[in-house]
Amino acid sequence: MTISADLCAAIRAALTDTPQAALEDIARAAGASVAQVLACLPEGEAALVPDACFQQAMADIAGWGEITLVVNTGDVILEAKGELPPGKVAQGYFNLHGKPIGGHIRAGACTQVAFVARSLFGMETRSVQFLDAQGSCMFKIYLGRDADRALIPAQVAAFDALRDRLTQQVPA
């Protein structure tokens, strides 16, 4: 994906002006896609892997314990906290049969998986974001927090290991 210097500058200005904003809001403010925003984040804040990693990522995350699944349409931000159930492909969907997290994801619509590590509201965050062909975020999964609101160390280690494993699988 090629991003003009002007667009990247607009994205970085929006990130500086509103560092607490959701990436979707930064994208709207800059006239960009979430994928373009991710590409302009500072070094080390985002690593992207291709759609072929979708099922591997979902299978791994299913073993992490309580996470927060977020869907942000712009007008609605829905969050569900719980363990991600193992998924299974059937009838063109990646099906999650669990509670409180369940549903049907058209996995073929996912073109990239992003591993995002950034500060938000003065707190460290980690999320796995699933992007479509337009560069929009289909949904994202945030790591859980302990009673002191710190990221759960075992999940951070699992996130880092999955990110590193999948990025190493991507041809240079």
Side-chain angles (χ1 to χ4, degrees):
M1 159 184 17
T2 304
I3 302 170
S4 73
D6 289 344
L7 180 56
C8 203
I11 290 168
R12 289 189 174 139
L15 285 163
T16 299
D17 292 345
T18 55
Q20 76 288 352
L23 295 178
E24 290 85 353
D25 295 335
I26 298 294
R28 273 189 291 284
S33 69
V34 171
Q36 290 170 316
V37 172
L38 290 169
C40 292
L41 288 177
E43 178 88 21
E45 286 192 12
L48 285 90
V49 298
D51 59 337
C53 298
F54 176 89
Q55 287 189 46
Q56 286 178 276
M58 293 295 283
D60 208 79
I61 295 167
W64 291 2
E66 186 174 276
I67 51 84
T68 302
L69 186 135
V70 177
V71 177
N72 181 344
T73 69
D75 293 324
V76 176
I77 300 173
L78 290 177
E79 299 180 3
K81 290 184 187 211
E83 292 187 18
L84 186 72
K88 181 168 68 170
V89 176
Q91 299 178 341
Y93 287 89
F94 187 79
N95 300 288
L96 299 171
H97 299 290
K99 290 186 180 184
I101 298 174
H104 313 281
I105 302 164
R106 192 179 312 275
C110 179
T111 59
Q112 289 185 302
V113 179
F115 292 85
V116 181
R118 51 186 304 251
S119 180
L120 196 55
F121 297 110
M123 296 174 65
E124 180 182 7
T125 69
R126 297 281 186 288
S127 64
V128 183
Q129 303 191 17
F130 299 83
L131 308 172
D132 65 19
Q134 292 74 43
S136 297
C137 186
M138 297 168 60
F139 66 98
K140 46 186 120 175
I141 296 173
Y142 280 89
L143 273 58
R145 296 188 178 278
D146 65 18
D148 296 322
R149 307 262 316 127
L151 291 174
I152 297 169
Q155 287 188 358
V156 173
F159 173 96
D160 291 345
L162 178 62
R163 178 200 58 217
D164 294 348
R165 187 172 78 248
L166 294 180
T167 56
Q168 289 172 6
Q169 289 178 12
V170 177

